[in-house]
Structures are given as C-alpha cells and as structure tokens.
Amino acid sequence: MYSLSNGSYMLIKRCPLTQITSISKYTYSNFMTRSARVTTSFADAKPNLIDNSKRNYVSVGERKSKNFNIPVNFSDILKQSKQLLRDVQLSELNNAPLSAFWYGFGGLAPFVLPPLSFIIFGYSPFLGALQLTFGATICSFLGGIKWGYLLKENSCMTWETLGWAVIPQTVAWISLLMPQTLGFIMVSGGLLLSAFCDLTMMNYPNWFRAMRLILTIPAVIGLLITGLMCLFH
C-alpha cells in the first residue's frame, strides 16, 4: 500500500495539473460512452429476453439434468432381447462346420464340470480359480473374434466397433484382479454383454449366432453357481 501511494504521489507531482485533468476527463467520457452503449443494447434486448423467458424458461439445474441425466429405457432392452431370441434359429446349428461345433461345445466342459464337482464334493478354491481364469480367456477370445471379423470388413472399422472388440478383454483382465466372487460376476457380465453385441451388431453367420446363444447360457450359469458357492464357502 505504501509503495502504491508513493508511486501515485510521484506521478501527480511530475505531471502538470492540466494533463491530469485531461486524462480524467477522457477516462470519464470514455467510461460513460461505453456504459451508455451497454445500457442501450440491454434495453433493446430486454423485451426479447423477457418474452423468451416467459415462453421457454429453463433453469440451470434443469439444463444440467437434461445434459447429464441420460435415461436408460430398460423396457426397450428387454424387447430387443426377446426379439433376438426369436430371430436366432437353433436349427441353424445343423449348418455349422463339425470342427467349430465340437470345439465350441467342448469348451463348455470347464464351465460345467467344476460346479458339478462342487455340488458333490464341496467347493475347491483351486478349481474355482481355474474356472474363473478359463472364463476370462474365453471373454478375451470373443473380443478377438470381433477384431478379426472387422479386419476382414475394412469399412466397418470405427472407434465404436473396435471398442466393442476391446471391452471383453478389458473386462476379463479386471475380473482376474478382483476377489473371486466379484470376478465370477464380472466375467459373467462380460460374456452376456459380448453375446448381446454379437447378436445385435455383428453380421455373423446364422449358425454362429445360434452357437453363441447356446454356449453363452450354460457358461454364465456355471460361473454364477461357482460364484455363489465361493461366496458361502
């Protein structure tokens, strides 16, 4: 404060009185001119602002809610899922190549056998870890199928489609870092999400779509049963 007052005093002492008066007059007139412009423009725009506020008034809170609260219509998802079940024809499995058919259904063994063993002999953390790891690898494998299919169709390679190919691998990796119970739930969700994506977005052959549906249901059921037994073990 002392330096500011001292500087002001030296400036007034050096400048003549006429210069200080002219500077003050110019500053005052310039300020009044700008204030008059702002006031005039606001007065001209005021009726429009009032009319618009009466017609379409939206508060700040409503704007934030409209921008950030995105409604999720679960009824549409259920309708789409039911339509998928109707569109997928299980009779198309007859057209599947024998190698793909047996490799696919042979992959159900690590999903089905551990829960049966737990029901008979009790829960085994080692077998549970094996089943969880196998489920994570299958989830990553399904993402790789999407990536390979998109490489064939170069026009379909977008951020969104390739992102859906990467998400299953990310879900599988995170599930292995979590406790076993949460890991089983997360892998099950990844398999269901991947199946929903394959049946809605990907233009796979009909026999593969039928196989995806048939193989996903018992795999998810086996993982959830093991997750429950791990929780109450």
Side-chain angles (χ1 to χ4, degrees):
M1 293 297 292
Y2 174 78
S3 60
L4 289 175
S5 59
N6 189 20
S8 302
Y9 172 76
M10 295 300 296
L11 178 63
I12 294 172
K13 186 176 180 181
R14 291 182 182 180
C15 295
L17 182 60
T18 55
Q19 292 183 4
I20 296 174
T21 306
S22 60
I23 291 172
S24 302
K25 288 182 179 179
Y26 173 76
T27 305
Y28 177 77
S29 61
N30 191 16
F31 172 76
M32 293 302 293
T33 303
R34 292 181 179 179
S35 300
R37 290 176 183 174
V38 173
T39 306
T40 304
S41 62
F42 180 77
D44 295 335
K46 191 174 182 181
N48 296 330
L49 290 175
I50 295 174
D51 294 339
N52 291 333
S53 64
K54 287 182 179 179
R55 291 182 213 164
N56 300 321
Y57 175 76
V58 180
S59 64
V60 177
E62 291 177 355
R63 285 180 199 167
K64 290 183 179 180
S65 63
K66 287 185 178 181
N67 292 334
F68 295 102
N69 292 339
I70 301 174
V72 178
N73 197 342
F74 291 101
S75 61
D76 293 341
I77 297 176
L78 291 176
K79 290 180 181 178
Q80 192 173 6
S81 300
K82 292 179 181 179
Q83 189 63 34
L84 285 174
L85 295 176
R86 295 173 184 173
D87 293 341
V88 176
Q89 299 178 1
L90 300 181
S91 60
E92 291 292 334
L93 287 174
N94 298 326
N95 299 325
L98 289 178
S99 57
F101 181 87
W102 289 112
Y103 274 127
F105 280 89
L108 282 179
F111 290 110
V112 177
L113 294 180
L116 294 177
S117 175
F118 299 153
I119 294 173
I120 299 173
F121 303 104
Y123 181 74
S124 172
F126 178 73
L127 288 180
L130 289 180
Q131 184 183 6
L132 178 61
T133 306
F134 184 79
T137 57
I138 291 298
C139 197
S140 300
F141 173 74
L142 294 174
I145 291 177
K146 296 180 184 61
W147 189 285
Y149 183 81
L150 293 173
L151 287 178
K152 180 181 178 182
E153 302 290 337
N154 293 328
S155 60
C156 298
M157 294 183 66
T158 61
W159 284 98
E160 182 180 1
T161 54
L162 289 179
W164 282 110
V166 174
I167 286 176
Q169 178 267 339
T170 306
V171 171
W173 174 57
I174 296 176
S175 65
L176 294 178
L177 301 177
M178 303 176 70
Q180 272 197 359
T181 304
L182 297 177
F184 284 115
I185 296 174
M186 197 162 188
V187 169
S188 301
L191 292 177
L192 289 175
L193 181 63
S194 181
F196 186 81
C197 177
D198 289 343
L199 297 178
T200 54
M201 298 174 59
M202 310 301 294
N203 191 19
Y204 289 142
N206 292 329
W207 65 265
F208 186 76
R209 288 161 55 86
M211 184 179 294
R212 287 288 289 113
L213 181 62
I214 285 293
L215 296 179
T216 300
I217 295 175
V220 171
I221 292 176
L223 288 170
L224 292 178
I225 291 175
T226 304
L228 289 174
M229 300 194 73
C230 176
L231 178 62
F232 296 104
H233 172 66

